[in-house]
Amino acid sequence: MSPLTRAHSRGAARSAGPARAIALVADVAAFLIVLWIVLWLLDANQANSLVALVHDIADWLTSWSRDLFTIDGETARVIVGYGLAAVVYVLVGHALAGWVARR
């Protein structure tokens, strides 16, 4: 193996950890948002502490996208407002992770 190849391999190995961490954070954020959508669609008891925690986290993560579009139906508004954020977190998180992994 040439010195250049070894240096590239070490650099790729060093950037793999941060890239995986970025992708994991994006995936967890998207999971929590989708979990809230599912809980809402299933009419989960919002007085339950776990449901309230998931709702609070999802609200915080989606504060920028919840009322981005004015949609009449409440179900559609929840799915689009929260779902858009989940998709953006996955796309941006994985794109950023890919960029970090290549550096």
Side-chain angles (χ1 to χ4, degrees):
M1 186 183 296
S2 75
L4 183 58
T5 305
R6 268 191 302 246
H8 178 71
S9 295
R10 281 192 305 268
R14 278 194 300 267
S15 64
R20 274 186 272 181
I22 291 168
L24 179 65
V25 168
D27 290 344
V28 168
F31 171 78
L32 289 169
I33 294 168
V34 171
L35 179 60
W36 168 246
I37 294 170
V38 170
L39 290 172
W40 190 88
L41 289 173
L42 294 174
D43 201 23
N45 179 9
Q46 294 189 25
N48 179 283
S49 59
L50 177 62
V51 175
L53 175 66
V54 171
H55 181 232
D56 290 344
I57 293 169
D59 269 355
W60 183 76
L61 289 169
T62 61
S63 61
W64 60 272
S65 69
R66 270 195 322 267
D67 295 322
L68 194 60
F69 301 104
T70 54
I71 300 172
D72 290 334
E74 190 174 3
T75 301
R77 188 171 38 248
V78 168
I79 291 171
V80 171
Y82 286 87
L84 173 66
V87 169
V88 168
Y89 280 115
V90 168
L91 291 177
V92 171
H94 283 264
L96 183 59
W99 179 78
V100 168
R102 284 190 300 276
R103 299 209 46 102

